[in-house]
Amino acid sequence: MDMDLLMAPLILFIIFVAPIWLILHYRSKRQIGQGLSDEEFKQLNELIDKADKMSQRIDTLESILDAESPEWRQRHDR
């Protein structure tokens, strides 16, 4: 009788849960292996461009501050 109580959930798990679990697992593995989608690649390139522009702006601002207030870095580090 105890064996019957254990067999029903085990059979249900094997029939329904395990196949769905395996399908979802391998689908996610395949998506990870494919790399970036075209849209993700485009977004990444846009972010790289924005980061480059921000870096140039920061360099420009630092050079302006260096010219106008040469000791600004020491005051900021305190």
Side-chain angles (χ1 to χ4, degrees):
M1 182 114 134
D2 289 332
M3 198 66 154
D4 292 337
L5 290 174
L6 292 175
M7 290 301 287
L10 182 61
I11 291 171
L12 289 173
F13 178 83
I14 291 172
I15 292 174
F16 296 108
V17 177
I20 293 171
W21 185 7
L22 288 172
I23 289 169
L24 293 175
H25 172 74
Y26 285 108
R27 183 184 299 167
S28 70
K29 288 284 189 184
R30 186 183 62 207
Q31 287 175 347
I32 290 172
Q34 289 178 347
L36 297 176
S37 69
D38 290 337
E39 182 65 28
E40 291 169 331
F41 189 71
K42 180 182 172 186
Q43 288 175 344
L44 181 61
N45 282 329
E46 289 172 1
L47 288 173
I48 290 170
D49 290 339
K50 287 180 182 181
D52 289 339
K53 288 177 185 177
M54 286 178 62
S55 178
Q56 291 172 355
R57 289 177 180 167
I58 290 170
D59 290 340
T60 302
L61 288 171
E62 286 180 343
S63 65
I64 291 170
L65 282 170
D66 286 336
E68 291 183 2
S69 179
E71 296 178 11
W72 73 271
R73 293 180 194 263
Q74 288 79 20
R75 285 184 285 180
H76 181 67
D77 290 339
R78 288 184 204 170

